[in-house]
Amino acid sequence: MAKISIFLAGLLLLHCCFAMAETEYAKYRDPKQPLNVRIRDLMNRMTLEEKIGQMTQIERANASYDVMNKYFIGSVLSGGGSVPKKQATAEEWINVVNDIQKGALSTRLGIPMIYGIDAVHGHNNVYKATIFPHNIGLGASRDPELVKRIGAATALEVRATGIPYVFAPCVAVCRDPRWGRCYESYSEDPKIVQAMTELIPGLQGDMSPTERKGVPFVAGKKNVAACAKHFVGDGGTTEGINENNTVISRHGLLSLHMPGYYTSIIKGVSTVMVSYSSWNGVKMHANHDLVTGFLKNTLRFRGFVISDWQGIDRITSPPHANYTYSIQAGVSAGIDMVMVPYDYTEFIDGLTSLVKKNIIPMSRIDDAVGRILRVKFIMGLFENPLADQTLVHELGSQEHRDLAREAVRKSLVLLKNGESADKPLLPLPKKTKKILVAGSHANNLGYQCGGWTIEWQGLNGNNLTSGTTILSAITSTVDPQTEVVYMENPDAESVKSENFSYAIVVVGEHPYAETMGDSMNLTIAEPGPSTISNVCGNVKCVVVVISGRPVVIQPYLESIDALVAAWLPGSEGQGVADVLFGDYGFSGKLPRTWFKTVDQLPMNVGDAHYDPLFPFGFGLTTEPNKAT
């Protein structure tokens, strides 16, 4: 009996020694080891359960310490409007992210989770963050260096809340403004979209000359992993219907919709998100030819491919009709991380079963997990998994607001300026007796920010976050002796009787995102048209259009003295006043064709039937006039 006890004790001691050795030194924990050695060492230690956990991304609302620990979850996201609490501070965000991270770190291997968020025009979910112009406005600036600076500022604000990963940039090429995501596209021209991928080195940091091209890269704790989206052709769907079918030849797809991905990969983008849309009837989430064959094998993308929100569910119609098939089709196509915000146990169980039945080979799982771990190692997540509060002061900083104001100035496109070139209305004089400011969008921060601002669909009003409305910007810009009268929707008699020197009318679209923004008529929201009619028929007026795309303007153009496309300028409305009153000149150029009627759509530069109201690239200029 004693001999057996001694033997068992020896075995136990030997086991403890091995366990201690494993605890003391694991190559994957050693940042001095080569990247591939760390990946291989960690993967050799992982069970199937742990690997499938890494491939799973869940919504913040479902993520707890216990869930992370039990299911080995690899990633968590905040969807549009998903916040720890209303008006949460940077510190409160950090605490929530760190609490979730501690759950991931408590697992056997301590693999940190990666937290992602849609920061598509600044850190747009977060209260008091700087809200930059949406991408269509940045496309009008024609300034990639500006976009890079915006990326760097956004990275700092995202890191200020403890988050290391953003679902940006959108490199879609919007070919039809009826698409509800058109404002997320920089231009109808793939060359402009390519140029604006400078957002990626802004977000991720500059690659050194010694870094390998095409390999994911994140410079450090002040940078975030980026995500080029939505692969591929999302901006070319029939009639601009969101998530619909893009009918185009392979040559057309590669020449129009793919260039943004070429440059994104060269610049070291960490991840690529797959589109809900289809190409010639094949759902992108199930397209092995393009996701694995082209993106991974031909372009040699080395980061990980992520699905969109419940993206694999939508492989079937109706969505989630045959989830086992959807898992098989999506993962087999080459999707590495699956965004399953809610039904994560169903996904984990389904994928586990498919692997155990040899329907999905282990090599496909290992490819996915290796890519996910590569990005996590490159980001430094293993060395610095928990966020601290050293960057909280960056959220909504004055420096970033000044940058956003600059971006607004450079994004404005002047479409009309007086009846003739020798009688311009703009720039407006600051010193005059009395001016009228009118329109539904003049005093509405939510409207000027648009969708993807605090809430997924955007908001109405001025109490959503910090910023400057166009009305308050005008009031603070004009001479103190100039009387500013604000009437949201004045009748014609009121305008006639007040003897205004001139009027500024600010109208446009109400906020929207994705499918909610699909529009077959592209009209300015009521009472915008009646405001234009009542004001511009009775006093000299400049109309400022707040919209995510060109809208119907031709019927009102004759009565308008000056017309400005301001797109969705974001939180810094002062940038609009800076240019209207001549402190800076107009310089923006149309990033997309402005149609006469919706019957012409789709219509893009180079088309045989090209007959625009204002052509692609159009934009009048003015000189700064410091004396106004």
Side-chain angles (χ1 to χ4, degrees), residues 132-378:
F132 292 93
H134 267 299
N135 286 354
I136 190 169
L138 300 181
S141 77
R142 300 294 201 274
D143 191 339
E145 187 270 339
L146 169 71
V147 169
K148 183 179 179 181
R149 286 187 285 137
I150 288 171
T154 301
L156 286 171
E157 297 208 12
V158 172
R159 281 286 195 173
T161 57
I163 296 171
Y165 174 33
V166 300
F167 307 126
C170 177
V171 294
V173 181
C174 175
R175 301 292 287 177
D176 193 323
R178 292 174 290 186
W179 186 38
R181 304 194 81 150
C182 204
Y183 63 74
E184 297 185 55
S185 168
Y186 293 106
S187 177
E188 71 188 47
D189 181 356
K191 289 189 174 63
I192 291 174
V193 173
Q194 275 191 295
M196 297 307 176
T197 58
E198 273 301 283
L199 191 81
I200 293 166
L203 291 167
Q204 298 192 156
D206 282 313
M207 297 173 75
S208 69
T210 57
E211 297 287 343
R212 279 179 59 203
K213 300 286 186 203
V215 175
F217 175 81
V218 180
K221 289 194 284 184
K222 292 184 178 180
N223 297 97
V224 293
C227 178
K229 65 183 190 183
H230 309 88
F231 187 86
V232 59
D234 51 339
T237 58
T238 302
E239 295 184 342
I241 297 168
N242 192 42
E243 305 184 19
N244 204 7
N245 189 26
T246 298
V247 180
I248 194 171
S249 68
R250 189 178 186 91
H251 173 75
L253 186 80
L254 299 188
S255 59
L256 271 180
H257 297 285
M258 198 66 80
Y261 293 96
Y262 304 150
T263 45
S264 295
I265 292 166
I266 289 167
K267 290 174 183 179
V269 74
S270 296
T271 70
V272 170
M273 184 183 290
V274 181
S275 176
Y276 288 128
S277 60
S278 304
W279 174 48
N280 295 338
V282 179
K283 290 275 188 180
M284 280 306 311
H285 274 76
N287 195 318
H288 180 273
D289 172 41
L290 285 176
V291 176
T292 295
F294 195 79
L295 178 63
K296 289 183 173 181
N297 295 343
T298 302
L299 298 186
R300 301 187 62 76
F301 173 60
R302 290 290 172 262
F304 68 79
V305 176
I306 186 168
S307 82
D308 207 333
W309 178 279
Q310 296 180 325
I312 65 166
D313 301 52
R314 302 189 205 185
I315 290 171
T316 59
S317 183
H320 208 83
N322 183 344
Y323 197 53
T324 302
Y325 168 74
S326 291
I327 296 169
Q328 180 188 341
V331 173
S332 297
I335 295 169
D336 304 310
M337 183 178 283
V338 180
M339 197 184 288
V340 276
Y342 307 121
D343 301 322
Y344 57 92
T345 56
E346 184 184 9
F347 169 75
I348 289 168
D349 292 345
L351 181 53
T352 303
S353 174
L354 287 166
V355 175
K356 286 183 174 177
K357 290 175 181 175
N358 295 319
I359 295 168
I360 292 178
M362 199 65 207
S363 59
R364 174 72 275 272
I365 302 300
D366 287 343
D367 172 57
V369 176
R371 289 167 178 274
I372 293 164
L373 294 178
R374 178 179 291 119
V375 171
K376 289 185 176 185
F377 281 124
I378 283 166

Side-chain angles (χ1 to χ4, degrees), residues 38-55:
R38 298 181 77 184
I39 294 169
R40 191 161 53 247
D41 179 66
L42 179 50
M43 287 186 64
N44 286 339
R45 299 167 188 268
M46 294 173 75
T47 64
L48 175 62
E49 192 179 12
E50 287 165 331
K51 287 177 179 178
I52 288 175
Q54 284 301 302
M55 296 173 66

Side-chain angles (χ1 to χ4, degrees), residues 188 413-417 550-554 557 560 562-565 567 590-596 600 603 605 610-620:
E188 71 188 47
V413 180
L414 181 56
L415 298 172
K416 183 179 180 181
N417 191 13
V551 289
V552 174
I553 200 74
Q554 189 183 35
L557 192 56
I560 295 169
L563 177 63
V564 177
W567 314 112
L590 283 182
R592 51 178 321 99
T593 300
W594 203 294
F595 57 86
K596 291 176 181 174
Q600 296 174 296
M603 178 176 65
V605 64
Y610 198 68
D611 182 27
L613 183 63
F614 300 107
F616 171 85
F618 180 80
L620 302 172

Side-chain angles (χ1 to χ4, degrees), residues 69-112:
N69 175 277
K70 181 177 180 181
Y71 295 102
F72 311 103
I73 300 296
S75 185
V76 175
L77 84 151
S78 274
S82 172
V83 297
K85 71 173 194 182
K86 197 173 181 182
Q87 300 185 355
T89 63
E91 291 86 351
E92 287 168 329
W93 274 95
I94 288 169
N95 290 338
V96 166
V97 174
N98 280 351
D99 285 347
I100 295 169
Q101 185 68 281
K102 286 170 187 173
L105 297 176
S106 72
T107 55
R108 181 178 73 93
L109 295 170
I111 303 171

